[in-house]
Amino acid sequence: MRQKVKSFIVEVNKNNLMLFLLGIAIFIVMGILQPRAFLRAANIRGMGVQFPEFGILCFGMMLAMISGGIDLSLVGIANLSSIIAAVVMLKEGGSVYSIVLGILCALLVGAGCGVFNGFLIGYLKIPAMLVTLCGLQLYTGLGLAITRGPAITGLPAGFDKIANGSILGIPHSVIVFVILAIIVSFLLRSTVYGHQMSFMGTNEIASKYSGINNLKITLITYMISGILGAIGGILISSHYNSAKTDYGKSYTLLTLLIVVLGGTDPNGGKGNVLGVTLAVIVLQLISSAFNILRINSFVKTFVWGLILICTMVITRIIDNRNVRE
Amino acid sequence: MRNSFKKKCTTNEAIVAYTIIVLSLVIGLMNPAFFDFSTVITLSRAMLVTLIFAVIEMVVIISGGIDVSFPAIACFSSYATIRIILVCGIDNIFFFYAIAGLMGIFFGVLNAVLIAKLHLPALIATLGVSSVANGATLAFLGTEEYSNIPSHIDSLSKSFLFACTNSNGIVYQMTSLVLIPIVLLIIVYLLLKFTTFGRGIYAIGGDKNAARIAGFNVTRIQSIIYMGAGFLAAVGGVTYTILMRQASPQNLMGSEMMVIAAVVVGGTRITGGHGTVLGTVLGVVLIALVQNNLIMVGIPAHLQTFVVGLIIVLGTGITSIRAKHIANSAKV
């Protein structure tokens, strides 16, 4: 019996276990410090509306990172596609049909931006980091050219329900997040594409010589990442009930931090949905705890950077020890 | 003979130079006010700090890394030092540069440990350091902007090399701070071209393992680069503070994008191993020209981010296509 438990613990990813314990620890500490404010239903609901926004972007970042690249343009894609959705919805007059059309357009724009990234990375062999950094500028600039600065408001009634509404007390955005988590997990574990992608991330040259079409895999990866960006963008704009180019500016660093914290290898090849999901929740708990304790929001930037560095250093030291053994 | 001439005319630097000339002609035709010596002065003022940052970024990229933490380091060290100066009433330019430089070196050491010692990916490590430095500045040092720079330090912003008057009678003066990037450029040029250390930077950017086997101490070279980058980032921050006559905790944040763009447009390969000082200078000139003169050509302000982004994508695309072409062409 004891052996069984032991082997089970060894089998469950150590990183995920640590994240899980960390999450519980935050819950306990905050429950003791501020039981009223932290454990209140409104706070937990508020968290439920917030974390899917960047959580979905994290999945895009994770896919790009597993394939051996990185996607820094996600926030740009998110804002551009939500702006296009807003423009379409306003033009079509604000019926339910227009909302659906707007969302479809946003997904198309996201996919298009992703394919553009993928083309530059996979075909022209420009490093992903540079392409997506430029992409961020390009997509933000395009969004700015459309909005001319101010936010687009007056979105049709009902659009704000996408992020702010709920079924049986569960916010819609959480449901979207869970569905996407399952889809991405399925893609990674049970499809040929997912396995080919992680092979490519581990060793690009070896995957090329073993007959994997690297260009195709890169294009698909960044397209999915772009679509995820667009979904994140719709949730963000639905949450604020408006669309603007500089929403979610801090999310780029945050998604990178979460993905690395969630056990994704920055050099490519490794990563799992469960780890990233746990990391998303832990980060949201920390963020919420900071708000309740009324800590200056700039401290958050500082702490996030610190967590990012510490996680990577600890992982690296553990890895080095394993290699030596 | 003819072949080498042809080669010289199609180098990356030459292409950037042609672009600059064509662009200046276009701007000048649309707005004759551009063809005035005052433009040179305005441009060099705008480029001054970018040049300092671009040179360090170039060296880091040549060595096969990347550094996105320099704006945060620059802000932290110049802002923290100006606070010390204001509290203690020390009015000394040398003190300003020295203390800020020390703080810059501290962050540089942090980068060096993470990247050279622990072999973490440079982008993510420097992004983390950037977040720490920026968060620390805003959370622990404050968000207030100071424009009461002590008089002795402030006097540097009012010392000029020469002045000229344009046709409307407006006097343009070349600030003497422009000497800092010029001296820096010459030093880095000599360092990269004529020292073993400089050749080592190219070597580890080309192939780290080959460089190690060839006898270069990779860890030491990388550490020195990141420490130097931290120091020079601080110098850039201090120079910016003096130039603007105002200390702000985050006005440089976000400039990393433009600097990386300028370096890459100037022909430095982001994968490391290639890059020249001249190319970087031309890249900075091109980006500064675009940024400062889009309004003169009549492109509205809300389109500028997009146009700059487009130019960067085109610039990097051309560089990469050339690199791909060279890689695929027949080797002698």
Side-chain angles (χ1 to χ4, degrees):
Chain A
M1 186 63 201
R2 249 178 84 188
Q3 277 237 308
K4 243 185 184 172
V5 174
K6 229 179 186 177
S7 68
F8 178 73
I9 289 174
V10 171
E11 257 182 36
V12 171
N13 192 324
K14 262 186 200 143
N15 188 36
N16 291 353
L17 194 71
M18 214 172 75
L19 282 172
F20 185 65
L21 294 178
L22 192 63
I24 291 181
I26 295 169
F27 243 104
I28 293 174
V29 170
M30 283 312 293
I32 294 169
L33 283 178
Q34 295 274 341
R36 283 237 184 101
F38 194 76
L39 299 176
R40 218 170 31 160
N43 182 44
I44 291 177
R45 270 184 58 85
M47 284 197 267
V49 175
Q50 262 168 23
F51 80 80
E53 283 176 11
F54 55 84
I56 292 169
L57 298 186
C58 288
F59 289 143
M61 180 73 91
M62 181 188 74
L63 288 178
M65 212 180 250
I66 292 176
S67 81
I70 195 165
D71 195 345
L72 301 170
S73 67
L74 277 163
V75 177
I77 295 179
N79 284 325
L80 176 62
S81 39
S82 68
I83 285 168
I84 301 245
V87 170
V88 170
M89 280 188 284
L90 289 182
K91 214 164 208 173
E92 291 295 318
S95 57
V96 177
Y97 160 75
S98 77
I99 294 179
V100 174
L101 192 72
I103 291 173
L104 279 181
C105 286
L107 295 182
L108 266 181
V109 169
C113 293
V115 168
F116 180 68
N117 282 343
F119 173 77
L120 292 182
I121 296 164
Y123 186 74
L124 293 183
K125 305 273 178 235
I126 310 177
M129 185 183 70
L130 189 65
V131 169
T132 52
L133 206 60
C134 293
L136 180 63
Q137 170 94 4
L138 199 63
Y139 307 141
T140 310
L142 208 54
L144 204 59
I146 296 171
T147 62
R148 309 197 165 191
I152 300 182
T153 51
L155 299 181
F159 181 67
D160 60 320
K161 289 282 175 295
I162 295 176
N164 300 324
S166 57
I167 301 172
L168 300 174
I170 304 170
H172 289 157
S173 36
V174 174
I175 299 172
V176 175
F177 178 79
V178 171
I179 294 172
L180 288 174
I182 293 169
I183 294 176
V184 173
S185 178
F186 175 78
L187 268 181
L188 282 180
R189 281 164 170 264
S190 319
T191 60
V192 176
Y193 156 75
H195 285 271
Q196 288 186 338
M197 186 179 75
S198 63
F199 285 145
M200 190 179 86
T202 316
N203 190 337
E204 203 181 329
I205 297 168
S207 91
K208 185 180 157 196
Y209 283 117
S210 51
I212 294 173
N213 187 343
N214 280 355
L215 176 60
K216 196 179 104 190
I217 301 287
T218 312
L219 281 176
I220 297 177
T221 305
Y222 284 93
M223 191 184 75
I224 297 176
S225 172
I227 293 174
L228 289 169
I231 298 174
I234 291 169
L235 286 187
I236 294 172
S237 68
S238 162
H239 184 193
Y240 293 113
N241 204 12
S242 61
K244 198 181 177 194
T245 45
D246 52 1
Y247 284 149
K249 255 194 172 164
S250 61
Y251 285 173
T252 306
L253 180 78
L254 189 63
T255 46
L256 202 60
L257 159 62
I258 288 173
V259 170
V260 173
L261 194 65
T264 314
D265 187 347
N267 296 318
K270 258 193 306 191
N272 65 85
V273 172
L274 185 65
V276 171
T277 310
L278 285 171
V280 166
I281 294 170
V282 166
L283 259 286
Q284 178 61 52
L285 286 174
I286 295 176
S287 170
S288 190
F290 271 44
N291 287 343
I292 286 172
L293 294 176
R294 294 181 193 286
I295 296 174
N296 183 336
S297 72
F298 299 125
V299 179
K300 235 190 264 181
T301 321
F302 176 74
V303 170
W304 282 343
L306 216 56
I307 296 176
L308 179 63
I309 294 174
C310 291
T311 326
M312 287 204 303
V313 168
I314 291 169
T315 323
R316 174 63 48 154
I317 290 171
I318 291 172
D319 277 358
N320 282 353
R321 195 169 293 161
N322 285 349
V323 167
R324 230 168 277 154
E325 276 170 10
Chain B
M1 180 63 203
R2 239 184 87 201
N3 218 349
S4 83
F5 178 71
K6 204 177 156 192
K7 231 178 204 168
K8 271 210 176 107
C9 289
T10 54
T11 54
N12 224 316
E13 284 94 343
I15 293 175
V16 180
Y18 301 149
T19 322
I20 292 174
I21 293 169
V22 171
L23 201 65
S24 328
L25 284 177
V26 170
I27 297 170
L29 283 178
M30 288 181 144
N31 193 337
F34 180 74
F35 289 127
D36 194 280
F37 191 68
S38 62
T39 310
V40 176
I41 292 179
T42 335
L43 261 186
S44 40
R45 208 182 136 87
M47 280 171 26
L48 208 154
V49 176
T50 319
L51 261 182
I52 300 178
F53 289 152
V55 170
I56 45 182
E57 190 65 45
M58 177 193 70
V59 175
V60 171
I61 292 180
I62 289 177
S63 79
I66 192 151
D67 185 355
V68 292
S69 62
F70 62 86
I73 296 177
C75 287
F76 179 89
S77 34
S78 61
Y79 192 70
T81 316
I82 208 84
R83 294 264 326 237
I84 295 176
I85 285 174
L86 287 175
V87 169
C88 304
I90 306 163
D91 189 1
N92 186 321
I93 294 171
F94 177 73
F95 178 83
F96 194 4
Y97 273 105
I99 297 297
L102 274 180
M103 293 182 191
I105 290 178
F106 166 76
F107 282 108
V109 169
L110 190 59
N111 274 334
V113 169
L114 293 175
I115 297 163
K117 201 88 195 163
L118 293 166
H119 305 290
L120 295 176
L123 175 72
I124 302 176
T126 51
L127 214 57
V129 170
S130 166
S131 172
V132 167
N134 184 32
T137 317
L138 292 167
F140 307 131
L141 294 174
T143 51
E144 202 179 332
E145 296 193 349
Y146 297 99
S147 42
N148 53 335
I149 312 281
S151 58
H152 182 58
I153 293 173
D154 199 32
S155 67
L156 194 57
S157 70
K158 283 177 251 158
S159 72
F160 300 103
L161 291 178
F162 54 83
C164 78
T165 319
N166 76 351
S167 47
N168 296 333
I170 301 168
V171 183
Y172 286 90
Q173 293 165 308
M174 181 70 104
T175 164
S176 30
L177 285 170
V178 81
L179 291 174
I180 295 176
I182 291 176
V183 170
L184 184 65
L185 285 170
I186 295 171
I187 292 175
V188 172
Y189 175 78
L190 295 176
L191 195 75
L192 285 179
K193 200 91 181 170
F194 298 110
T195 64
T196 323
F197 175 71
R199 302 321 286 178
I201 297 175
Y202 282 100
I204 63 173
D207 189 329
K208 227 189 246 174
N209 284 329
R212 203 192 62 231
I213 293 162
F216 287 112
N217 186 339
V218 176
T219 314
R220 203 182 69 195
I221 293 179
Q222 276 187 324
S223 306
I224 294 175
I225 292 173
Y226 284 102
M227 277 152 62
F231 173 72
L232 289 174
V235 169
V238 171
T239 311
Y240 190 77
T241 307
I242 296 176
L243 192 67
M244 293 294 142
R245 306 178 64 191
Q246 188 191 43
S248 151
Q250 61 170 357
N251 52 6
L252 280 168
M253 293 306 295
S255 62
E256 66 271 18
M257 180 66 214
M258 280 303 135
V259 170
I260 293 173
V263 170
V264 173
V265 167
T268 305
R269 270 186 225 159
I270 195 93
T271 40
H274 292 263
T276 58
V277 172
L278 180 64
T280 302
V281 174
L282 289 173
V284 172
V285 172
L286 182 61
I287 297 275
L289 205 60
V290 172
Q291 268 193 311
N292 287 296
N293 293 294
L294 281 178
I295 291 186
M296 273 193 162
V297 195
I299 295 175
H302 62 261
L303 277 177
Q304 286 189 10
T305 322
F306 177 65
V307 172
V308 172
L310 204 63
I311 289 170
I312 300 167
V313 170
L314 287 179
T316 50
I318 291 169
T319 322
S320 299
I321 293 169
R322 280 178 60 86
K324 205 178 165 187
H325 186 72
I326 292 168
N328 289 340
S329 61
K331 309 261 187 320
V332 181

